[in-house]
Amino acid sequence: MISIQREDFSLEQEYQKLRTEAGDVGAIVTFTGIVRELYGGTGDKRGAAKTDTLYLEHYPGMTETSLANIVGAAQKKWPLLAVRVIHRVGELKPQEQIVFVGTASGHRQDAFDAAQYIMDFLKSRAPFWKKQSSGKDSHWVDARVSDAEALARWQDS
Amino acid sequence: MISIQREDFSLEQEYQKLRTEAGDVGAIVTFTGIVRELYGGTGDKRGAAKTDTLYLEHYPGMTETSLANIVGAAQKKWPLLAVRVIHRVGELKPQEQIVFVGTASGHRQDAFDAAQYIMDFLKSRAPFWKKQSSGKDSHWVDARVSDAEALARWQDS
Amino acid sequence: MLTIHYFASVREAVERSEEQLELPENVANIGDLIEHLLLLHPHFETVFQDDRKILIAVNQTVVDKSQALDPGDEIAFFPPMTGG
Amino acid sequence: MLTIHYFASVREAVERSEEQLELPENVANIGDLIEHLLLLHPHFETVFQDDRKILIAVNQTVVDKSQALDPGDEIAFFPPMTGG
């Protein structure tokens, strides 16, 4: 259900696994995050810089535990029939896939909400860190204020 | 960008088209609606009935126009790099794919919001009608109160 | 000439998917047209009696009963949409 | 024995990814441990001076400086997460 891996993943394969596991499913939402070449821009103080490489570091053990907790919390909040989370680590190039979240449910709203919830918490609560290299410069990517704000909306519900 | 068709579709093909068209994309959200065998249940006065066949009727011409308007409105509200909508018509069996919405953007929130917006309006504003056959009984599916409510939340924004 | 389409449960209730008629002189808007159709086809009453169960489109845009009509308009009657 | 992990920008600033040390007698909680580490390694000050830039996990759960420590705990210091 949760994979941390260097290898790329196939949306089609993950989608078919979700369909099979979910049984009498009505709605499947997938989110795929892709490494942008122009990182930053709006909302990022650094402004846009062309990415040559994105390096993903994580905390083995804690990563899996924290993602399992996030998925477990989503399963409590919404009636989900299947959930899949994949996060890649190591060195990635622009336009490579970096993260996948798939949710299957009877109704679309539950699948949409759960996928967003999992992504919001994954961004700010799972121990991953991005280092961006642009030419000779490389720096650790700053946490985004908008990601902290995205978490806040789940406090009320 | 918008297709009304009898044939099935491939998530993988649609996803790859979105990636190609979007260019330097950061987030792709897909929604796939699937025909459930047990239709109804919570929120449906009829209760659950086993579906043998779902027949999809539409209003050729107006369907395409209304979906184009919905997609156009979403493109005004969010900076989308690519959008794809497919709705099948004719006779469908349980577990067949019925509808696809895919959105590509720089940031996840825009892609999520646009996909939900398009689905919410498609459900209540595009001229499609479902007829469910269960054994010898067949009836036109009632509009859901929850779908009307889903539209209401976009009024404020 | 008006073209009138009927869809889904409305189509089944009125027992036709389409008809054409000359715009009658006393028909200025959709409300008038419905009165006219009920005179022509009394069995239409089963679907046209409850405004919440019938939607109206003129030239492929949803409108209400006050919508004025012109010769050549494409009119459609159908129940609330249930796609997706 | 405590195991301490350092990740990402914190790892680079402290110039190590891991170290082990006996739980000192005067170290009851994370706040005490940080004081102790700063005595051992003065260059740690660059990252430990701003609480908003450093997160703490004990046994893989994020905690604050008041968290009590036991021998055998797994401790980690890292910057705010930036996955996804």
Side-chain angles (χ1 to χ4, degrees):
Chain A
M1 187 167 71
I2 291 162
S3 302
I4 314 300
Q5 61 189 45
R6 289 189 169 269
E7 311 81 61
D8 198 6
F9 52 84
S10 154
L11 183 76
E12 178 70 9
Q13 278 176 30
E14 299 309 327
Y15 173 67
Q16 296 302 345
K17 275 191 259 180
L18 283 167
R19 278 182 81 171
T20 304
E21 187 188 332
D24 193 22
V25 61
I28 295 182
V29 169
T30 74
F31 173 84
T32 310
I34 293 168
V35 179
R36 277 179 300 154
E37 185 166 12
L38 286 174
Y39 205 84
T42 321
D44 184 331
K45 282 168 287 172
R46 280 174 211 280
K50 250 191 175 181
T51 302
D52 293 321
T53 312
L54 200 65
Y55 172 73
L56 260 290
E57 180 169 331
H58 78 123
Y59 181 176
M62 181 171 167
T63 314
E64 290 80 355
T65 307
S66 65
L67 289 176
N69 289 342
I70 293 166
V71 169
Q75 285 170 319
K76 270 195 190 165
K77 286 174 81 79
W78 297 284
L80 303 176
L81 298 167
V83 180
R84 181 87 171 107
V85 178
I86 303 173
H87 205 300
R88 293 178 69 192
V89 292
E91 233 178 63
L92 298 172
K93 296 286 177 191
Q95 292 312 304
E96 280 200 77
Q97 303 182 126
I98 174 171
V99 59
F100 173 82
V101 171
T103 53
S105 191
H107 296 281
R108 74 185 184 287
Q109 197 55 55
D110 296 330
F112 269 120
D113 286 346
Q116 286 200 68
Y117 176 94
I118 291 168
M119 273 308 300
D120 285 349
F121 279 81
L122 180 155
K123 279 256 172 188
S124 303
R125 294 288 165 83
F128 293 101
W129 302 276
K130 285 195 190 94
K131 190 174 197 175
Q132 179 190 17
S133 298
S134 307
K136 285 172 192 169
D137 172 56
S138 79
H139 65 267
W140 292 95
V141 171
D142 282 333
R144 293 168 59 98
V145 174
S146 61
D147 286 329
E149 290 168 350
L151 272 196
R153 64 175 157 168
W154 299 109
Q155 310 294 320
D156 325 323
S157 58
Chain B
M1 187 169 70
I2 290 162
S3 302
I4 314 300
Q5 62 189 46
R6 292 190 164 268
E7 312 80 61
D8 198 6
F9 53 84
S10 155
L11 182 76
E12 178 70 10
Q13 279 177 29
E14 300 308 326
Y15 173 67
Q16 296 302 348
K17 274 190 262 180
L18 283 167
R19 278 181 81 170
T20 305
E21 187 187 333
D24 193 22
V25 61
I28 296 182
V29 168
T30 75
F31 173 84
T32 310
I34 293 170
V35 179
R36 277 180 300 156
E37 186 167 10
L38 286 174
Y39 206 83
T42 322
D44 184 331
K45 281 167 289 174
R46 278 173 213 281
K50 249 189 173 182
T51 302
D52 293 321
T53 312
L54 200 65
Y55 172 74
L56 260 290
E57 181 168 330
H58 78 123
Y59 181 175
M62 180 172 168
T63 313
E64 290 79 356
T65 308
S66 63
L67 289 176
N69 290 341
I70 292 166
V71 169
Q75 286 170 320
K76 270 195 189 164
K77 285 172 83 78
W78 297 283
L80 303 177
L81 298 167
V83 179
R84 180 87 172 106
V85 177
I86 304 173
H87 205 300
R88 292 178 70 192
V89 292
E91 233 178 65
L92 298 172
K93 298 286 180 191
Q95 292 312 301
E96 281 200 75
Q97 301 182 128
I98 174 169
V99 59
F100 173 82
V101 171
T103 53
S105 191
H107 295 282
R108 73 183 185 287
Q109 196 56 54
D110 296 331
F112 269 121
D113 286 347
Q116 286 201 68
Y117 177 94
I118 291 168
M119 272 309 300
D120 284 349
F121 278 81
L122 180 155
K123 279 257 171 187
S124 304
R125 293 288 165 83
F128 293 101
W129 303 275
K130 285 196 190 95
K131 189 174 196 175
Q132 178 190 19
S133 297
S134 308
K136 284 172 190 169
D137 172 59
S138 79
H139 65 268
W140 293 94
V141 172
D142 284 332
R144 294 166 58 97
V145 174
S146 62
D147 286 329
E149 290 168 352
L151 272 196
R153 65 176 158 167
W154 300 109
Q155 309 293 319
D156 324 324
S157 61
Chain C
M1 189 79 87
L2 297 176
T3 304
I4 309 177
H5 296 284
Y6 304 94
F7 291 101
S9 55
V10 174
R11 172 176 54 73
E12 290 183 351
V14 304
E15 297 170 334
R16 73 201 66 202
S17 61
E18 191 181 322
E19 67 188 303
Q20 295 200 311
L21 48 88
E22 294 293 343
L23 182 58
E25 288 222 350
N26 59 337
V27 168
N29 61 29
I30 286 285
D32 300 339
L33 177 65
I34 290 173
E35 294 305 317
H36 181 78
L37 289 170
L38 286 167
L39 287 174
L40 281 178
H41 318 292
H43 72 286
F44 275 31
E45 210 194 333
T46 53
V47 284
F48 282 98
Q49 68 200 350
D50 186 347
D51 281 356
R52 289 166 305 175
K53 292 194 175 165
I54 198 147
L55 296 178
I56 307 146
V58 171
N59 300 326
Q60 305 189 351
T61 300
V62 171
V63 297
D64 64 28
K65 282 185 172 179
S66 67
Q67 173 70 36
L69 289 176
D70 289 312
D73 278 348
E74 175 182 321
I75 293 141
F77 296 106
F78 45 75
M81 287 92 153
T82 56
Chain D
M1 189 78 88
L2 297 176
T3 304
I4 309 178
H5 297 282
Y6 304 94
F7 291 101
S9 54
V10 174
R11 173 176 55 73
E12 291 183 351
V14 302
E15 296 170 334
R16 73 202 65 202
S17 61
E18 191 180 322
E19 68 188 303
Q20 294 200 311
L21 49 88
E22 294 294 342
L23 182 57
E25 286 220 352
N26 59 337
V27 168
N29 60 30
I30 287 285
D32 300 338
L33 177 66
I34 290 173
E35 295 304 317
H36 182 77
L37 289 169
L38 287 168
L39 286 174
L40 281 178
H41 319 291
H43 72 285
F44 275 31
E45 211 193 334
T46 54
V47 285
F48 282 98
Q49 67 199 351
D50 187 346
D51 281 356
R52 289 167 304 175
K53 290 194 177 164
I54 197 147
L55 296 179
I56 307 145
V58 171
N59 301 325
Q60 306 190 351
T61 300
V62 171
V63 297
D64 63 28
K65 283 186 172 179
S66 67
Q67 174 69 36
L69 290 175
D70 289 312
D73 278 347
E74 176 183 324
I75 293 141
F77 296 106
F78 44 76
M81 288 91 151
T82 56

